[in-house]
Amino acid sequence: MTVNDLINADIFKTIKVGTSPEREITKPFNCDLLSIAMSKAPSDCAWITVMGNVNTLAVATLADVACIILAEGVLLDEAGAAKLESTDITVFSTDMPVFEASLAVNNLLNA
């Protein structure tokens, strides 16, 4: 499944489409501790988190994730929203809990 497929699934609200919507998503990854995400997030994952700040964008870039899904109704804070304009990452939001958002991604991957 690609990031574009996730956009077209219309499960999550698209906040910003990054520069690589054709990028493959390999698996969901759930983590809210940035230091753990930085070292353990698999490349090309859909990272589901409730951390909506500028550091999340930085970690996503370092970890080379395919996209970020902000769960639980979280949105980027002011600094994160400002930084988003200069990043290449696709960001989604949802009111779903982290587990349900992850399950939705997993179900699409295995459809």
Side-chain angles (χ1 to χ4, degrees):
M1 173 177 71
T2 66
V3 171
N4 203 41
D5 293 333
L6 189 55
I7 292 167
N8 292 331
D10 203 30
I11 296 172
F12 308 119
K13 179 181 176 191
T14 304
I15 302 298
K16 181 193 179 217
V17 177
T19 57
S20 300
E22 70 288 343
R23 186 165 180 182
E24 289 289 324
I25 297 172
T26 57
K27 63 174 66 173
F29 174 75
N30 307 336
C31 187
D32 294 324
L33 188 57
L34 297 176
S35 60
I36 297 290
M38 193 170 12
S39 64
K40 302 239 183 221
S43 180
D44 300 321
C45 72
W47 178 20
I48 300 102
T49 184
V50 296
M51 298 298 295
N53 60 50
V54 70
N55 294 329
T56 303
L57 299 173
V59 169
T61 300
L62 287 171
D64 197 29
V65 304
C67 62
I68 300 169
I69 302 168
L70 298 171
E72 305 276 354
V74 169
L75 297 174
L76 288 168
D77 63 16
E78 190 175 316
K83 182 65 177 175
L84 183 60
E85 296 308 313
S86 65
T87 64
D88 298 332
I89 192 103
T90 298
V91 178
F92 299 94
S93 69
T94 184
D95 289 331
M96 290 180 197
V98 170
F99 177 79
E100 288 180 21
S102 183
L103 188 58
V105 171
N106 192 64
N107 287 343
L108 285 171
L109 284 167
N110 293 304

